[in-house]
Amino acid sequence: MQKDWNEKLKAEKEATEIKTLKLKKSENTIAIMRLITFLSGIFLIYIGIDGEKIFGLAGLILILLFIMLVRQTGKNQEEKNHLAAKEEVLRRYMFRMDDRWKKIEDDGSDFINADDTISTDLDLLGASSLYQLLNIAHTEGGRKKFAETITLRANHLENREKRLEASKELADNSELLIDFESASMSIGSIRKKIIEKQNEYETDDSGKMINSKVKTSISIFGMIIIPIMNVCSIALVAFGKIPVSSIFITFLFGLIMTTVINKIVV
């Protein structure tokens, strides 16, 4: 039984890695298509201004396709995050098949109180603990509740029956269990990054403190202003107010601004 489960985990991990590689390849293809559709769309719109209107219409269609490709890029990123979380979940399950589970990073040490000797003496929390072996929670709320339950700080008896039913359902459906935990890990990672950014403080050479609120404002500013600049330049070219070269200048300026903003925010 254990051997079959281990083989299943390995097969699932290999399948997930293959999906990740395919997704990366499709990302490269989409990136090239974005560039081609954007430049071709601008060129056809320019031709259609003083020539056949059909070229202008084709250009608009390509710009719409460009926008769709940008949205698809966002969806692919979400799928990448899910697959990365799934790979980590599968890795941890494989570690639990032998002594490698002691290498799992989350051991519940952050829930150990200064006067709590029982949790450490009985190996309930901390390195090589029962928490480290059994925990599959990834959100802060779930991790805290599991730590409270395993140390008997809170028994949560009011939800015992519901928890038992949920445990049975997940135990009978390993694929659902893995996907559910992967989603939980992905959500937990996103929330952790948000909290880190909210609490993040950096000091520049003058000693001035720059917090995440400033970074968030810069990021939002770039997300709004850069697309507006590109749309306005296309509209002005369409009405013959500025030369078509202005579109490429605006596009390059937007790329530079995006790079600078990413370096500030990340």
Side-chain angles (χ1 to χ4, degrees):
M1 182 68 179
Q2 182 176 348
K3 184 178 180 181
D4 292 341
W5 174 239
N6 197 23
E7 291 297 325
K8 185 175 183 179
L9 290 174
K10 288 181 180 179
E12 187 68 26
K13 190 171 185 295
E14 290 176 0
T16 303
E17 289 172 351
I18 292 173
K19 287 181 182 178
T20 302
L21 289 174
K22 288 182 178 180
L23 194 60
K24 288 181 179 179
K25 290 181 180 179
S26 69
E27 277 186 334
N28 295 332
T29 303
I30 290 175
I32 295 172
M33 289 178 63
R34 283 206 316 264
L35 180 62
I36 293 174
T37 53
F38 180 79
L39 295 179
S40 301
I42 298 302
F43 179 71
L44 289 175
I45 289 174
Y46 174 70
I47 294 176
I49 292 174
D50 298 320
E52 295 291 337
K53 299 300 180 184
I54 189 66
F55 289 112
L57 179 61
L60 290 174
I61 292 174
L62 286 176
I63 293 298
L64 289 174
L65 180 59
F66 167 77
I67 295 172
M68 291 173 63
L69 289 171
V70 170
R71 294 186 63 183
Q72 184 61 44
T73 301
K75 292 180 180 179
N76 285 352
Q77 185 59 49
E78 291 179 2
E79 180 65 16
K80 263 182 66 176
N81 293 339
H82 177 74
L83 290 173
K86 189 172 183 178
E87 282 189 42
E88 177 61 20
V89 167
L90 291 167
R91 183 181 73 92
R92 293 188 182 191
Y93 275 112
M94 293 171 68
F95 278 10
R96 292 188 180 100
M97 303 298 291
D98 49 50
D99 285 341
R100 289 182 298 169
W101 63 267
K102 296 177 182 179
K103 295 181 180 180
I104 296 176
E105 293 79 5
D106 188 9
D107 59 12
S109 296
D110 48 328
F111 297 112
I112 300 176
N113 299 328
D115 57 346
D116 186 3
T117 57
I118 295 178
S119 296
T120 52
D121 290 344
L122 298 180
D123 291 328
L124 299 177
L125 298 174
S128 303
S129 64
L130 194 60
Y131 178 99
Q132 190 176 18
L133 174 62
L134 299 180
N135 176 56
I136 60 172
H138 300 283
T139 62
E140 285 304 308
R143 292 179 65 248
K144 182 180 179 182
K145 184 168 288 188
F146 183 69
E148 290 175 346
T149 303
I150 206 171
T151 57
L152 299 180
R153 295 172 189 169
N155 52 37
H156 303 289
L157 290 176
E158 67 279 4
N159 296 322
R160 183 177 57 183
E161 295 299 327
K162 291 182 179 179
R163 282 163 40 209
L164 183 60
E165 289 178 7
S167 298
K168 287 181 177 179
E169 182 179 354
L170 291 173
D172 294 336
N173 192 335
S174 59
E175 292 182 2
L176 176 61
L177 173 62
I178 292 171
D179 285 337
F180 186 81
E181 186 180 350
S182 301
S184 175
M185 175 177 279
S186 183
I187 293 171
S189 299
I190 293 172
R191 288 182 176 177
K192 185 177 180 180
K193 288 179 181 179
I194 292 174
I195 292 172
E196 287 176 351
K197 285 188 174 292
Q198 288 176 342
N199 298 328
E200 182 185 55
Y201 282 86
E202 294 180 358
T203 306
D204 60 14
D205 294 336
S206 64
K208 183 180 179 181
M209 302 303 293
I210 305 174
N211 61 23
S212 62
K213 290 183 178 179
V214 176
K215 291 185 175 184
T216 302
S217 300
I218 294 173
S219 178
I220 293 173
F221 176 81
M223 290 172 62
I224 295 174
I225 295 300
I226 293 174
I228 289 177
M229 286 171 49
N230 288 327
V231 171
C232 288
S233 64
I234 293 172
L236 290 172
V237 168
F239 286 103
K241 300 294 183 180
I242 57 175
V244 70
S245 59
S246 301
I247 295 178
F248 299 99
I249 294 172
T250 306
F251 179 69
L252 290 174
F253 179 76
L255 287 178
I256 295 171
M257 287 294 295
T258 300
T259 303
V260 172
I261 290 171
N262 285 337
K263 287 186 177 181
I264 294 174
V265 172
V266 176

